[in-house]
Amino acid sequence: MQDVLDKKARDILRANDKGGFTVPTSGLYPYQWNWDSVFVALGFATFDEARACREIETLFEAQWDDGFVPHIIFRRYDPDYFPGPDVWQAGSDIPTSGITQPPVAASIVNTLWSQSDATQIKDRLAALFPGILAWHRWFHNNRVPDDAGAVVITHPWESGRDNSPEWDAPASNIDVSRVQPYERRDLQHADAAMRPTKLDYDRYIALVEFGRSTGWDHALIGKSGPFRVADVGMTMILLRATRDLIDLASKLGRDDALDELEGYLRQLVEGAEFLWDEEAETFCSRDMITGRHSGYLTNASFLHCYAGVGNAQQREKMVGHWDRISAQANFMMPSHDPGDSRFDAMRYWRGPIWIVVNYMLAMGFREQGFDDWAGRILSDSRRLISEHGFNEAFSPVSGDGSGGSDFSWTAAMWLAWCGAANEQ
Ligand code: DGY
């Protein structure tokens, strides 16, 4: 069984490999996506380290001069996806989207560098360091305001958690009255009940049209865009990535970068505190326009362990949340609180489980001494894939797959983490 699933996972990565970059799944996502690619590199590394390097190198080939790394790279036009390069009108030599995605690159490059014994591979990974540092600098120049210290997203897609209920209130003020007519393509590939709604899409497109109208001026969008939310997921992920980049800098002898990175780290630790909601007793996202917390508990709230933050009282509250949710959910970790009325077991980021988030959660729980939690996340992830397939996401109630199938990052997580013979 193990061998069959390992082979299937490798076959998925090979089939989704379009020549140096991997699409998340055929049909629904026919281009290169930022954080998908970086997670996928972990999977390739289990059988082809050079191919793993190539995946991240092709992503950084599309980096802009100011350090920004886009969320989609449009190498070959594919009419099957909307909004395509003609709508975004961003990038230069390589057409791209105009927004970014969770910066997991530093963490994964550090992992790949540490686990490789080959000098050639280590050199290729080390060569990515300046680009990753420039991307972190881009975040701090454009998206980490001094008065928050947290990472501000300007489009729900930047979070990677596209339709999380965390965005419902902040997005309700987006003016959709001037959105040009458009045709969704995602519904040709996935069940509408599993995807964001029409209203969500109208808002997504209004924000793309706004960004495009500024010529993708990120400083301007970050200061005056209609959607500006300090995102708990992005903040925890950048915080962790900064720790990992400091570690990598030390290993590479890049001591010249340490002061700058330590400064970023201090800011982000304050940012995590800015996201603690006293009323909801959790870490959650916060609207920068109204100042209000979302008040929602999500799988991103639990990334506090991965980021290495939270004082004793905050951690105690998170233990209470874990106890309640883990008793309620058949599989962990739902992307939204199953006790909340907005929970929807099958709809994208409003309930389903995402194996890449589980990977980060389990790592953080293990490091912070929550071994039982890490064990539960690992065994649930393994069961979900082995019993239900390499889906995009999974219902925390039934385990059924939701979204696309034969999904690259789910296959990668199987190979590198939850299906791996050597349990972590
Ligand atoms: C989509 O098109 O649904 C993507 O998630 C955007 O990144």
Side-chain angles (χ1 to χ4, degrees):
M1 184 66 172
Q2 175 82 32
D3 288 355
V4 175
L5 288 168
D6 287 358
K7 179 178 178 315
K8 170 81 180 154
R10 285 193 293 269
D11 287 349
I12 289 172
L13 293 188
R14 289 193 187 105
N16 289 341
D17 180 354
K18 299 299 166 205
F21 71 94
T22 308
V23 298
T25 182
S26 70
L28 187 59
Y29 298 125
Y31 294 108
Q32 182 176 22
W33 257 260
N34 184 323
W35 70 329
D36 289 75
S37 255
V38 182
F39 282 117
V40 157
L42 278 177
F44 274 123
T46 63
F47 62 99
D48 185 347
E49 285 189 314
R51 181 62 189 77
C53 293
R54 191 74 202 115
E55 188 72 32
I56 307 178
E57 287 163 356
T58 54
L59 173 65
F60 277 82
E61 278 168 15
Q63 183 167 34
W64 294 13
D65 290 345
D66 63 356
F68 166 81
V69 184
H71 103 294
I72 309 178
I73 321 300
F74 300 111
R75 281 174 194 277
R76 293 175 208 138
Y77 182 67
D78 190 323
D80 238 13
Y81 181 78
F82 176 85
D86 47 327
V87 181
W88 288 94
Q89 296 173 19
S92 46
D93 294 350
I94 306 176
T96 69
S97 68
I99 58 172
T100 194
Q101 250 187 346
V104 290
S107 300
I108 290 176
V109 167
N110 189 34
T111 299
L112 294 174
W113 191 92
S114 305
Q115 75 189 21
S116 180
D117 295 325
T119 313
Q120 250 189 352
I121 297 297
K122 281 183 137 52
D123 287 350
R124 283 175 72 173
L125 294 165
L128 290 163
F129 179 86
I132 299 174
L133 175 62
W135 190 20
H136 284 222
R137 196 175 287 142
W138 176 86
F139 270 106
H140 285 269
N141 287 341
N142 295 282
R143 296 299 185 75
V144 183
D146 289 340
D147 56 348
V151 180
V152 174
I153 55 166
T154 60
H155 192 300
W157 283 342
E158 287 197 311
S159 68
R161 301 183 295 128
D162 300 7
N163 63 338
S164 167
E166 290 214 284
W167 321 134
D168 290 358
S172 64
N173 292 321
I174 299 170
D175 176 10
V176 295
S177 64
R178 274 168 299 179
V179 170
Q180 296 300 307
Y182 64 92
E183 192 193 330
R184 283 177 70 167
R185 301 285 158 77
D186 58 319
L187 300 181
Q188 291 164 6
H189 303 286
D191 185 340
M194 298 176 183
R195 294 287 301 168
T197 63
K198 163 146 177 40
L199 178 58
D200 290 328
Y201 254 78
D202 284 352
R203 290 168 174 166
Y204 299 155
I205 302 309
L207 290 174
V208 173
E209 289 178 355
F210 170 77
R212 191 181 61 206
S213 75
T214 70
W216 297 108
D217 179 337
H218 290 131
L220 183 69
I221 299 168
K223 284 198 188 75
S224 64
F227 179 88
R228 282 172 283 134
V229 183
D231 171 14
V232 65
M234 279 287 224
T235 303
M236 298 300 181
I237 287 171
L238 185 62
L239 207 167
R240 170 61 187 242
T242 306
R243 293 191 199 281
D244 291 331
L245 200 54
I246 289 171
D247 187 39
L248 185 62
S250 309
K251 290 171 186 160
L252 299 181
R254 286 295 310 264
D255 294 0
D256 55 301
L258 291 179
D259 278 354
E260 178 182 359
L261 287 169
E262 297 285 359
Y264 294 162
L265 186 59
R266 279 193 295 277
Q267 234 180 330
L268 291 162
V269 168
E270 279 170 29
E273 200 52 43
F274 176 79
L275 296 178
W276 179 258
D277 181 351
E278 278 299 340
E279 214 172 304
E281 299 182 327
T282 188
F283 295 101
C284 62
S285 300
R286 192 163 172 184
D287 190 337
M288 294 301 288
I289 297 174
T290 63
R292 280 190 213 115
H293 287 276
S294 78
Y296 290 129
L297 188 75
T298 65
N299 51 356
S301 305
F302 282 92
L303 288 173
H304 68 292
C305 285
Y306 179 72
V309 293
N311 61 34
Q313 287 84 1
Q314 290 166 335
R315 289 202 173 193
E316 200 185 303
K317 299 293 177 194
M318 295 307 289
V319 170
H321 293 308
W322 170 276
D323 289 346
R324 177 175 61 78
I325 292 176
S326 61
Q328 209 171 347
N330 293 328
F331 298 92
M332 289 295 271
M333 160 56 78
S335 48
H336 190 67
D337 184 345
D340 181 72
S341 62
R342 294 187 186 218
F343 173 81
D344 181 338
M346 295 303 274
R347 199 184 287 280
Y348 223 45
W349 288 87
R350 301 176 84 88
I353 294 163
W354 294 76
I355 302 293
V356 290
V357 180
N358 274 5
Y359 160 79
M360 294 185 284
L361 290 171
M363 184 183 292
F365 294 160
R366 186 80 74 202
E367 287 169 356
Q368 302 292 329
F370 295 99
D371 287 342
D372 292 355
W373 300 7
R376 165 97 196 255
I377 297 263
L378 176 76
S379 65
D380 284 1
S381 302
R382 180 175 296 166
R383 256 187 76 199
L384 287 168
I385 296 176
S386 51
E387 292 173 15
H388 298 270
F390 291 92
N391 299 294
E392 182 174 5
F394 301 85
S395 160
V397 178
S398 64
D400 288 346
S402 90
S405 54
D406 286 358
F407 222 82
S408 297
W409 71 11
T410 308
M413 288 297 104
W414 175 268
L415 292 170
W417 172 57
C418 58
N422 53 334
E423 291 187 17
Q424 293 156 54

